[in-house]
Amino acid sequence: MDGDPDEGMLSWDESVFRNEHVFEIDYVPETFKHRESQTQSLTYALRPAVRGSRPLNVMVRGPPGTGKTTAIQKLFDEVGAQTGDIRTIRVNCQVNSTRYSVFSRLFEGTFDYEPPSSGISFKKLFGQIAEKLVEQDRVLVVALDDVNYLFYENEASDTLYSLLRAHEEYPGAKIGVVVVSSDPTLEVIDELDSRVQSVFRPEDVYFPVYDQPEIVDILDERVRRGFNDGVISRETLEYVAELTAESGDLRVGIDLLRRAGLTAEMRASRVVEREDVENAYEKSKYVSLSQSLSGLSDTERALIEVIATNDGEQAGAVYDAFREETDLGYTRYSEIVNKLDQLGLIEADYAEIDGRGRSRSLTLAYEKEAVLDRLE
């Protein structure tokens, strides 16, 4: 009926979404735009594996939210669909940040079940993986996603050394490595031991930040697949892209679309308005913070909380408060401080202290409330 006040309103069983999963961070899009040259470089590196040879190693670099994981996942899916002679395994190093846990994931990917939780040495774990590859005459391609976390835990060199030297201890083992770093300050090659540098000569594939027209194009594809027709206007979409470009992280835009849609539904509206985007942005802009915090251990999260309540204090004073909660020594405390600094969660700046020389002051890199809210 013309003029019906409820015409633009959702009923209780309706949604603005056609497929909400399209806006999940781990969704792999059917069409992958504006990364053609990077995809070609990765394909080139893996091509020898299709012929049964060891592939070229690759170093993939770029800020968060620039398509690195998606590119690798799509390539691995394509390889898996073409041949059964190549085993591709992506390891999330944010979750698996030690050599043993990385190889536990490789064991699981090789045998399709998890290794025993205890009682098996690294040497035996590694040996079973390598022997299985030789027995099946399969090539293994390992993607160490967010490899920067292995560096934060001083586990990168040992992990890469084991993978790159596998063929020496187990003749016939063919393993290629793709290392993926989201830390623009990390010089991967320079930080590796000389014994690893001598054998690790990777192809370098860089993923730059998307520019605004590219962001509009990518988000428009998500809108068409994820929302019902007419839910978001072009003007609103371009506003979302503008906010995304400011952050430099495509994940912000994807999360922002989903939250703006949910905000519109809360109003029972059939369309997403600019105000919905503005309200949703207060949470979406912290996507990177949430991702970083989710990978921290209980001890590391405890230190974040201590720094939040002692923001701007000298490292020694923060340690005293931290030790009261955890009983950990200063060496481990210093290691965690360095990791949190490398992750961009805190700022550890050196300053001259009267009569005491140089000392670090520790401050949060984000608003205190935003950090504490996401620690709960």
Side-chain angles (χ1 to χ4, degrees):
M1 181 183 1
D2 291 342
D4 186 344
D6 293 331
E7 184 178 357
M9 305 298 286
L10 288 170
S11 61
W12 68 271
D13 59 346
E14 289 182 304
S15 174
V16 299
F17 296 102
R18 176 180 284 128
N19 180 6
E20 192 174 345
H21 179 55
V22 167
F23 302 108
E24 297 289 344
I25 298 299
D26 61 352
Y27 174 77
V28 178
E30 292 183 28
T31 55
F32 187 47
K33 299 182 176 183
H34 308 296
R35 288 295 181 252
E36 289 79 11
S37 65
Q38 289 84 358
T39 300
Q40 286 176 0
S41 297
L42 288 168
T43 302
Y44 168 77
L46 263 63
R47 186 166 288 131
V50 179
R51 300 190 291 267
S53 300
R54 187 178 298 110
L56 302 176
N57 298 313
V58 185
M59 179 168 61
V60 175
R61 299 178 298 115
T66 52
K68 301 182 298 299
T69 298
T70 300
I72 289 165
Q73 194 60 58
K74 286 191 73 69
L75 181 58
F76 279 12
D77 289 346
E78 290 172 11
V79 168
Q82 289 177 10
T83 177
D85 295 331
I86 303 173
R87 175 78 74 171
T88 58
I89 303 174
R90 184 181 72 87
V91 180
N92 181 352
C93 297
Q94 183 176 5
V95 177
N96 302 284
S97 57
T98 67
R99 181 177 66 164
Y100 192 91
S101 61
V102 166
F103 275 82
S104 292
R105 299 288 70 76
L106 297 183
F107 183 99
E108 183 179 0
T110 301
F111 291 93
D112 296 321
Y113 60 87
E114 293 186 5
S117 57
S118 62
I120 180 170
S121 67
F122 170 77
K123 184 176 177 61
K124 185 174 182 180
L125 188 73
F126 180 22
Q128 290 182 359
I129 296 169
E131 288 166 3
K132 187 72 170 179
L133 291 175
V134 174
E135 175 191 328
Q136 296 181 331
D137 194 25
R138 269 185 169 179
V139 179
L140 173 63
V141 182
V142 180
L144 299 175
D145 206 355
D146 277 328
V147 72
N148 33 297
Y149 282 86
L150 291 180
F151 282 92
Y152 302 154
E153 299 295 342
N154 296 316
E155 294 275 348
S157 289
D158 286 344
T159 302
L160 281 170
Y161 186 82
S162 297
L163 289 168
L164 297 169
R165 296 282 193 178
H167 63 281
E168 296 178 359
E169 190 168 353
Y170 301 93
K174 290 170 283 192
I175 300 176
V177 182
V178 180
V179 299
V180 186
S181 174
S182 296
D183 184 347
T185 68
L186 177 66
E187 296 293 340
V188 171
I189 302 298
D190 292 347
E191 292 296 325
L192 290 169
D193 292 350
S194 58
R195 64 196 172 112
V196 182
Q197 290 180 356
S198 65
V199 293
F200 189 48
R201 294 285 184 268
E203 302 291 304
D204 190 13
V205 182
Y206 184 70
F207 284 66
V209 173
Y210 292 108
D211 63 29
Q212 191 160 336
E214 290 172 339
I215 292 171
V216 170
D217 195 26
I218 294 168
L219 295 184
D220 183 52
E221 177 82 10
R222 299 278 178 130
V223 165
R224 287 189 285 110
R225 292 183 181 276
F227 282 122
N228 291 322
D229 295 341
V231 168
I232 287 193
S233 68
R234 183 71 178 187
E235 182 181 358
T236 303
L237 174 61
E238 290 182 350
Y239 178 54
V240 172
E242 180 184 327
L243 294 173
T244 306
E246 288 176 8
S247 74
D249 188 338
L250 185 66
R251 298 174 303 178
V252 170
I254 295 169
D255 188 71
L256 183 52
L257 287 172
R258 178 172 178 264
R259 289 183 185 276
L262 293 171
T263 303
E265 285 192 338
M266 288 288 289
R267 298 189 297 106
S269 173
R270 295 181 186 276
V271 296
V272 173
E273 304 286 0
R274 183 185 178 101
E275 183 181 351
D276 297 319
V277 175
E278 290 172 346
N279 291 335
Y281 184 61
E282 289 307 307
K283 290 188 176 179
S284 292
K285 66 183 179 181
Y286 293 117
V287 163
S288 180
L289 170 62
S290 298
Q291 290 280 313
S292 295
L293 291 176
S294 68
L296 298 181
S297 67
D298 289 344
T299 303
E300 292 160 350
R301 292 165 71 89
L303 180 53
I304 285 282
E305 287 193 53
V306 170
I307 293 173
T309 55
N310 296 270
D311 205 28
E313 293 286 339
Q314 299 302 310
V318 174
Y319 170 64
D320 290 340
F322 178 66
R323 184 179 56 183
E324 286 184 14
E325 289 200 16
T326 64
D327 286 332
L328 286 178
Y330 195 86
T331 299
R332 180 56 184 152
Y333 161 73
S334 184
E335 290 172 349
I336 297 174
V337 167
N338 290 336
K339 176 179 178 178
L340 299 179
D341 187 23
Q342 290 169 317
L343 282 172
L345 290 171
I346 67 170
E347 295 174 357
D349 298 324
Y350 281 94
E352 292 290 341
I353 306 298
D354 290 342
R356 297 173 56 188
R358 287 164 56 81
S359 177
R360 286 192 292 185
S361 62
L362 307 181
T363 58
L364 295 176
Y366 294 87
E367 296 172 14
K368 177 180 176 179
E369 291 72 18
V371 174
L372 293 177
D373 285 348
R374 284 156 183 78
L375 282 174
E376 294 179 356

